[in-house]
Amino acid sequence: MSNVIVIGGGAAGMMAAYAAAGQGHRVTLLEQNEKLGKKIFITGKGRCNVTNDSSVENHLAHVVSNPKFLYSAFYTFDSSQMMDLLEEHGLRLKTERGNRVFPASDKSSDVIKTLERALRERGVTVRLHTKVSKLLVEDQVCKGVVVRSGQGEESLVADAVILATGGLSYASTGSTGDGHRMMQKLQVNITPCYPALVPIETAEEWPTRLQGLSLRNVTLTLYRGKKKLYRELGEMLFTHFGISGPLVLSSSSLLGRKGVEDCYYEVDLKPALSDEQLDERIQKDFALQKNCLFKNALGKLLPAKMVPVMVELSGISPDKKVNEVTKKERQGLVHLCKHLRMTVSQLRGFPEAIVTGGGISVKEIDPATMAVKQISGLYAAGEVLDLDAKTGGYNLQIAWSTGYLAGISIP
């Protein structure tokens, strides 16, 4: 039996502690906050999209950074096993659109309570209000940690330490880059961090006038120059600075590493219709309101809030009667509806990022065990690593899988 210390009481840390205790180790979970799972609490707008009920292959396909690294972790502990674990400990689950799994209660707090119950059942010692300031490493062997708490500073000895301190997103939950700093002091390579799954600021001003408008069943395409980076059907949202919503957040992860230069989005507002079909639809609408002014003729085609903006962008005189709109102008309107373009100005910052891109380089980690290659007895899991995925429960599954693999790998 080994003494194991897990640093960080988030998704990866709780799972690592649970898995290590299941191997018969004495496990202490250290958390600097007043409670466990602060970031889990706010995920999915407080509902917590626990995982995605789909194959390992599908999960790997949705990982943006270093998917091959996750083969062992995902095949060791996949989404169905995570769902079974939660249900075995009393949490009822439900699956929604896109195979997204949520607690049946729609309360993220129930996910945390279930994990806390699982930790208690396995005898894990949880210490709250305890901040790790240093890893104790001698001759490339991790011997424990130095912590600060209400009792002052103390050294805690361990046979193995699992680092699960998270990234830089939502710093209010405790994700402040402590793990990265500790690893840098040990000469472990850190890939530069950037916000991932984050809203976008647009160069154009008009999206801000649509603040609060949500578009469903639109196709969003992201380009860098002429290269198509992303294309999905779904939902997006206009904000006071630009755009957000599921499609935008997922696509944003592809911008962090290489920057936003020469990047732009195109929205197809009517993806179910071809250009010709949309043109016919507009002609029918116009025929039913021949003497109507153009500015008043798009109400059946577009959300009311969007009409003035689209009229302006179309270049067609708002006071022109629809029966005077030319074929060329009408076809221009069709093109606008199918290719509504917005230029990427910049990504929003870490305070609004759902996850962190970058982190401990996966080249420093053994993918079969989550052990840090150059330091014996030290493991890492979760968002502290250079791993991130699109929205849909995939990022939490990375945390569950890497935490579990780290926990069962301790000898």
Side-chain angles (χ1 to χ4, degrees):
M1 183 190 287
S2 298
N3 278 324
V4 177
I5 286 175
V6 180
I7 310 171
M14 283 194 279
M15 183 53 69
Y18 174 83
Q23 299 296 104
H25 301 304
R26 279 189 298 268
V27 181
T28 302
L29 178 58
L30 306 177
E31 169 55 54
Q32 64 180 342
N33 288 312
E34 74 286 358
K35 59 186 176 182
L36 298 178
K38 280 192 86 169
K39 191 170 177 188
I40 293 174
F41 186 71
I42 60 173
T43 59
K45 296 175 182 172
R47 295 174 64 218
C48 187
N49 183 185
V50 177
T51 187
N52 193 282
D53 185 10
S54 58
S55 66
V56 168
E57 290 78 11
N58 182 62
H59 277 258
L60 290 167
H62 283 81
V63 176
V64 175
S65 304
N66 305 306
K68 289 180 181 176
F69 175 84
L70 285 162
Y71 271 68
S72 290
F74 277 173
Y75 278 107
T76 299
F77 189 77
D78 63 16
S79 59
S80 64
Q81 288 164 282
M82 183 60 199
M83 292 166 68
D84 288 346
L85 187 157
L86 291 171
E87 289 180 323
E88 284 164 11
H89 286 88
L91 183 68
R92 285 178 50 240
L93 299 172
K94 61 179 178 178
T95 303
E96 297 186 359
R97 181 175 52 85
N99 296 319
R100 296 165 189 242
V101 179
F102 293 89
S105 65
D106 281 331
K107 292 179 180 175
S108 57
S109 56
D110 287 343
V111 178
I112 300 165
K113 286 173 190 169
T114 303
L115 292 168
E116 287 175 331
R117 191 159 53 243
L119 292 174
R120 280 196 302 274
E121 286 176 13
R122 287 199 168 174
V124 173
T125 300
V126 177
R127 286 187 53 174
L128 302 173
H129 299 289
T130 304
K131 185 178 177 66
V132 175
S133 57
K134 184 182 177 184
L135 295 168
L136 294 172
V137 176
E138 297 174 24
D139 300 322
Q140 299 304 99
V141 178
C142 188
K143 302 287 184 72
V145 299
V146 176
V147 300
R148 281 200 297 271
S149 64
Q151 286 76 48
E153 196 165 83
E154 61 179 314
S155 296
L156 302 178
V157 177
D159 301 296
V161 172
I162 301 174
L163 186 71
T165 50
L168 294 167
S169 54
Y170 294 127
S172 61
T173 65
S175 300
T176 52
D178 292 344
H180 297 148
R181 285 188 285 275
M182 285 187 263
M183 295 300 262
Q184 277 177 319
K185 287 178 182 174
L186 299 173
Q187 308 301 307
V188 173
N189 185 37
I190 307 293
T191 303
C193 293
Y194 56 88
L197 298 184
V198 67
I200 300 288
E201 293 184 19
T202 57
E204 295 81 5
E205 170 273 336
W206 63 261
T208 66
R209 285 152 53 195
L210 300 177
Q211 177 183 349
L213 176 64
S214 179
L215 299 179
R216 297 174 187 270
N217 299 317
V218 297
T219 298
L220 187 72
T221 308
L222 172 62
Y223 294 91
R224 177 174 277 116
K226 292 181 180 178
K227 185 181 179 184
K228 189 187 295 179
L229 301 181
Y230 173 94
R231 183 181 175 85
E232 289 281 344
L233 174 75
E235 189 175 334
M236 63 172 289
L237 172 73
F238 291 100
T239 69
H240 66 282
F241 52 76
I243 50 176
S244 187
L247 292 176
V248 175
L249 295 175
S250 276
S251 63
S252 70
S253 294
L254 302 168
L255 295 171
R257 262 181 221 279
K258 294 186 178 178
V260 302
E261 190 177 348
D262 207 20
C263 289
Y264 61 93
Y265 286 98
E266 281 190 357
V267 186
D268 184 347
L269 297 171
K270 300 293 176 182
L273 302 177
S274 67
D275 286 25
E276 294 75 19
Q277 289 169 326
L278 181 55
D279 190 26
E280 286 175 17
R281 159 78 195 273
I282 291 171
Q283 286 184 67
K284 283 179 184 173
D285 284 357
F286 283 4
L288 292 171
Q289 38 194 351
K290 288 178 189 171
N291 296 315
C292 198
L293 300 179
F294 176 61
K295 66 183 178 184
N296 299 325
L298 300 180
K300 290 181 180 177
L301 186 70
L302 299 165
K305 195 169 188 176
M306 204 167 191
V307 170
V309 169
M310 293 296 282
V311 167
E312 185 181 306
L313 294 174
S314 74
I316 301 170
S317 171
D319 295 319
K320 194 172 199 174
K321 288 189 176 179
V322 292
N323 60 5
E324 295 172 358
V325 172
T326 67
K327 180 181 179 182
K328 185 178 179 182
E329 286 175 327
R330 199 180 64 243
Q331 288 176 337
L333 176 62
V334 168
H335 187 270
L336 179 65
C337 289
K338 300 287 285 182
H339 303 273
L340 182 59
R341 183 163 168 163
M342 292 167 284
T343 310
V344 179
S345 169
Q346 63 181 25
L347 302 174
R348 297 290 278 184
F350 281 112
E352 293 174 60
I354 294 175
V355 296
T356 302
I360 298 170
S361 170
V362 295
K363 292 176 182 175
E364 302 275 3
I365 307 295
D366 179 351
T369 62
M370 294 294 132
V372 178
K373 290 176 181 176
Q374 58 178 291
I375 301 166
S376 178
L378 182 60
Y379 300 75
E383 203 180 337
V384 74
L385 298 166
D386 182 14
L387 300 165
D388 64 279
K390 297 174 184 175
T391 57
Y394 303 106
N395 284 288
L396 266 178
Q397 188 59 47
I398 290 175
W400 309 132
S401 295
T402 56
Y404 185 88
L405 183 54
I408 65 166
S409 297
I410 295 167

